[in-house]
Amino acid sequence: MTFLITAGPTREAIDPVRYISNRSSGKMGYAIAEAALDAGHDVILISGPVNLAPPRNSKFISVSTSDEMFDAVHQHADSADICVLCAAVADYKPAQVSPTKIKKRADGISLELTPTRDILQSLGQRQSRKFLLVGFAAETDHLEANAREKLHKKNCDIIVGNDARAAMETDENELLILFRDGEMKRISRAPKNILAYELVKIFLNSQQKCLTKKM
Ligand code: CTP
């Protein structure tokens, strides 16, 4: 099987020296990549800027902006059996990128932001896709309701929900996994690398079920 995995944050440029980003460490996505490789699968890892070494034996694609991540994902999605979109993609980018450094002024400045493209949703909208589509939902409140809404809105097969505050920049996580058929699983707090092994098994199992249904 081939896994396509996105991980880490994106950076949206304001000017040549500044950007908008978030606190994602990339650890969950990299742990899933390692677990899939350990289980003998191929991995295409599309990563935003993080402080982690690329897993050995993965096809590693380094990106910075949401637009670069969007293009890399669409270029490689059809060679994957399972797409796991774990990245914390910025929801907005500056409407204009200043070509020169914005100078400090005595009064304040406002930044006009424009929405980025939703990569997960764009894969969910693909007609007759053959890969299993897995998204993540990082929430600070109403985890189950918000994750379920994302599952339907983005037309995924699985959404892995987690507490945004508890998950960012830490080595541990706890997960709520929602499936398209309404099934739900909880995995209690554990190191991200242990969770990753569980997730890979769950994704493979779901992929097999999808294949059996289609045959
Ligand atoms: N995602 C994406 N492209 C975006 C934004 C999000 O592919 N431009 C994906 C993430 O990789 C994740 C899922 O969508 O798999 C949910 O991301 P999340 O940040 O939890 O939700 P948003 O859709 O951004 O909604 P909100 O920030 O309002 O919770």
Side-chain angles (χ1 to χ4, degrees):
M1 291 280 170
T2 299
F3 283 70
L4 179 151
I5 300 166
T6 68
T10 63
R11 286 180 182 172
E12 312 302 327
I14 298 170
D15 71 13
V17 295
R18 303 184 181 96
Y19 55 79
I20 295 172
S21 192
N22 59 65
R23 291 166 52 190
S24 167
S25 65
K27 283 178 183 163
M28 194 69 242
Y30 276 57
I32 295 170
E34 296 281 8
L37 287 164
D38 274 2
H41 303 287
D42 291 326
V43 170
I44 303 164
L45 177 59
I46 301 171
S47 176
V50 295
N51 284 320
L52 298 169
R56 280 208 275 161
N57 302 322
S58 66
K59 180 177 167 65
F60 184 73
I61 301 169
S62 167
V63 296
S64 179
T65 66
S66 58
D67 285 328
E68 288 169 9
M69 189 173 276
F70 183 100
D71 291 343
V73 166
H74 279 274
Q75 203 180 327
H76 292 91
D78 283 328
S79 27
D81 302 293
I82 301 178
C83 290
V84 185
L85 299 203
C86 215
V89 184
D91 287 335
Y92 296 95
K93 61 181 182 179
Q96 265 107 38
V97 182
S98 169
T100 53
K101 188 179 168 212
I102 299 169
K103 300 307 284 178
K104 183 165 58 184
R105 300 193 326 208
D107 52 345
I109 64 161
S110 306
L111 268 183
E112 191 191 339
L113 300 179
T114 177
T116 58
R117 290 174 290 176
D118 194 304
I119 306 170
L120 180 61
Q121 195 162 342
S122 67
L123 286 186
Q125 282 164 352
R126 272 202 187 185
Q127 299 293 324
S128 69
R129 65 175 157 84
K130 295 205 172 59
F131 48 80
L132 183 88
L133 184 57
V134 182
F136 272 67
E139 307 295 341
T140 54
D141 51 352
H142 308 298
L143 175 59
E144 187 183 333
N146 285 333
R148 196 170 296 287
E149 195 187 322
K150 280 177 192 168
L151 177 79
H152 295 303
K153 189 169 143 209
K154 306 197 186 200
N155 196 25
C156 308
D157 299 299
I158 298 175
I159 280 276
V160 182
N162 62 105
D163 183 312
R165 277 185 291 244
M168 288 257 169
E169 295 177 312
T170 65
D171 291 330
E172 293 199 334
N173 207 349
E174 68 180 71
L175 305 174
L176 178 69
I177 305 163
L178 304 179
F179 299 81
R180 186 190 276 280
D181 65 3
E183 198 198 330
M184 192 165 91
K185 269 197 176 98
R186 269 176 212 282
I187 311 186
S188 49
R189 191 154 197 86
K192 286 180 178 172
N193 55 345
I194 304 287
L195 296 174
Y197 280 92
E198 285 304 311
L199 286 177
V200 164
K201 277 194 243 162
I202 290 169
F203 300 159
L204 288 166
N205 195 16
S206 293
Q207 163 70 1
Q208 285 308 323
K209 277 192 201 157
C210 282
L211 281 181
T212 320
K213 258 195 214 155
K214 279 175 190 155
M215 275 187 338

